[in-house]
Amino acid sequence: MGFRLHLDGELHEVTVARRHPTLILTVDGKELEVAAPPGPGDGHGTMEIGGLEIAFARAAVGDRQIVRLDGRTFDVALVDPYSGGGAAGGAQDALKAPMPGAVVSVHRRPGETVLRGEPLITIESMKLQTALPAPRDGVVARIYRTEGETFEKDEVIATLEPQTEAA
Amino acid sequence: MTAALFRKVLVANRGEIACRVMRTLERMGIASVAIHHHVERTARHVRMAGEAVEITGNTPVAAHLDIEQIVAAARATGADAIHPGYGFLSENARFAAAVAEAGITFVGPDAATIALMGDKISARNFAEANGVAVAPSVMPTDDLDAFAREAAAIGFPLLIKAAAGGGGKGMSVVRSTGELREAARIASSEAERYFGDGRVYAETYVERPRHIEVQVLGDGAGGAIHLFERECSVQRRFQKIVEEAPASSLDLALRERICASAVRLASAARYKNAGTVEYILGADGRFFFLEMNTRLQVEHPVTEMITGIDLVRAQIEIAAGKGLPLEQSQVRAEGHAFECRICAEDPGRDFMPETGVVQYLDVPDERWLRFESALDRGQRVTTDFDSMLAKLVVYGSDRQQAADRSVSALKSLTLLGVTTNIDYLARVLDHGSFRAGDLHTGFVREHAAALEPTPLHADRRAQVLAAAAFGFHEFRELVFGTPEPHAAIGKWRN
């Protein structure tokens, strides 16, 4: 049975190959001996793995583990075994907030056309204004947040009408 | 006079700078008063202060900008001076005037000097009139069309700036007439929102410019000295992320000319306080006045590191009328210092601000290092305030040692739970061009590809994945069979 993790945009699989006499994992199909497994919980830890003693720090954030190892920080997400793995299609229709913030101005109303790259909504986050460009040419379907309203990161703040196949 | 210069000082700020100011107050035997919005009632600066006063506002930032409440807090607590830190009301002439009117000492210049230097146009004119070089520019106007026409006439590239601005707000580089109008409109709207003054102006943009600034101290009677220069060329979104003192590979004669120019300006303005005169320096050795910041600068610790002078103490002494702490000939610089600004942002996504909770924090402890922050474990990082979380300030006997130490400190600094630029900063300080001192304000853009993280070796990746996997209780159950009690505890945070 595999344990699927997401790191740097790629899917990885960790499985238990053997438990005795020492613990052997396979990481992406390659065996790795774990002489001393890391403990649970946040903070600094060590593990003896693949013949090396490795120091690291780790903290849990929701379904992710943030790992600091060898002076670098990694964001490792647990892949929900029940999810299909990524929404298919429609991404180009939605304008998602790249960061939490508030709407400063809305440049297009629903029904108006917009060209790819044209500013659709100007937002502000941490005293910084950014014009969010339309992801493609199209017609504005809905604007979900008006001036002064706040939103969270990755929230859809505007959508374009679905594209129809041009003959 | 042997008594303390002030009995009690209200620090009209928050975060790392409030803590840093209070540290010096404590050393000087002066009591401190903190101000805070409800959301930061348990913040470190509140815990550090002798007393704390809650201020209210629609947003936490609005509370920190409320002049009447802050002056009232100083009166109510019997503070005889107010230190404004940087940002917020530190360069607000109305605030300085209101403080003075209340019979309280403002640790800074008088309102007239703040107004003179706070407006880029009047500051520029004043500098020019006093023999300080300025770049060719177009003056602001309310008529965007006329502005665009005139600006285009002095040639591209142009830098669009807010007349009342600072800190990169309302600033952009424009390379063609087509971009000009929208850039001016955005700059104007940002300027209106942040400074209540929508006027923008444009000036010649020097290609590959270096940002050099001079730390000055003025006594308010025309006496002024400099504490050498800092270089702040490594910037993203027009905001500094790495600063150093002294500037690397700066010709000695040029250094003297820049520092002398800053002293001339401070002296002519009869400047009273610590201040910073900012310049852009072209590859040809020409330098132009940018602006003067009439307050303590974020990056002041690098100057403190190489000169051994406590700038906050100097500010307090000057405000109390004790004059300059030393003469120019007594100011010595030794060694080299870097400051890295640790920000809640994602360098992999164009430095977009990030939020989260500080789940784990471990700061290296070295004699040659200052970690300036108000961070606490468990602290929520929100968009309420600026994205700067901390400053890592490192000293070395020379530039190379200071850079080596900075990289090592950045690599051992552990801040988990909020995405930060820590790893990115380590790559900057390790970059060949950075080490060679080949700096300009486009450094981050020019070396964007080289500053990306290197791909992980498969063995290293396996270690990271293993370390992460054992953090999930689901995985621990899988490995250890029956659920172990500690695995369950691992999900709980205190």
Side-chain angles (χ1 to χ4, degrees), chain B residues 99-329:
Chain B
V99 172
E101 225 163 84
I104 298 167
T105 303
F106 180 70
V107 181
D110 58 28
T113 309
I114 295 177
L116 170 70
M117 294 302 176
D119 185 283
K120 285 206 162 72
I121 316 296
S122 62
R124 216 186 115 90
N125 292 341
F126 183 83
E128 201 170 13
N130 285 283
V132 175
V134 299
S137 71
V138 180
M139 289 299 126
T141 160
D142 291 332
D143 181 349
L144 266 184
D145 288 310
F147 175 75
R149 235 180 1 259
E150 282 178 46
I154 62 169
F156 294 97
L158 283 168
L159 190 61
I160 309 282
K161 290 187 196 179
K169 312 275 185 298
M171 236 198 228
S172 65
V173 177
V174 170
R175 294 184 185 277
S176 68
T177 316
E179 304 165 39
L180 192 57
R181 269 193 62 101
E182 178 64 4
R185 198 195 55 73
I186 287 185
S188 175
S189 113
E190 271 191 40
E192 180 66 46
R193 290 168 57 79
Y194 288 110
F195 315 110
D197 178 351
R199 289 177 307 148
V200 290
Y201 78 102
E203 70 179 20
T204 299
Y205 179 67
V206 178
E207 296 281 4
R208 290 180 77 86
R210 292 170 68 179
H211 177 115
I212 305 288
E213 60 184 33
V214 181
Q215 177 69 56
V216 295
L217 293 176
D219 63 7
I225 59 169
H226 70 80
L227 271 53
F228 301 104
E229 82 289 357
R230 296 183 283 260
E231 172 149 23
C232 317
S233 298
V234 181
Q235 308 181 352
R236 53 100 185 89
R237 294 176 175 271
F238 294 106
Q239 286 181 320
K240 304 158 187 173
I241 47 172
V242 178
E243 299 103 335
E244 62 185 294
S248 66
S249 54
L250 195 62
D251 174 84
L252 268 185
L254 181 57
R255 181 192 208 189
E256 264 174 35
R257 283 198 353 251
I258 295 180
C259 290
S261 153
V263 168
R264 199 157 59 237
L265 184 72
S267 178
R270 299 177 79 78
Y271 185 75
K272 182 179 185 179
N273 188 28
T276 296
V277 186
E278 298 191 333
Y279 298 92
I280 44 168
L281 171 64
D284 55 3
R286 285 197 308 165
F287 59 90
F288 300 121
F289 171 75
L290 269 181
E291 62 177 351
M292 179 171 191
N293 295 319
T294 57
R295 46 150 169 100
L296 191 64
Q297 201 92 336
V298 175
E299 59 274 22
H300 75 276
V302 292
T303 297
E304 296 184 324
M305 284 285 208
I306 63 162
T307 61
I309 294 167
D310 180 336
L311 282 166
V312 174
R313 176 185 282 268
Q315 284 187 293
I316 305 261
E317 288 175 353
I318 290 168
K322 275 193 66 180
L324 299 177
L326 64 181
E327 287 171 30
Q328 188 66 65
S329 61

Side-chain angles (χ1 to χ4, degrees), chain A residues 24-40:
Chain A
I24 309 283
L25 299 180
T26 61
V27 179
D28 294 333
K30 199 176 163 212
E31 289 203 347
L32 192 66
E33 183 186 345
V34 183

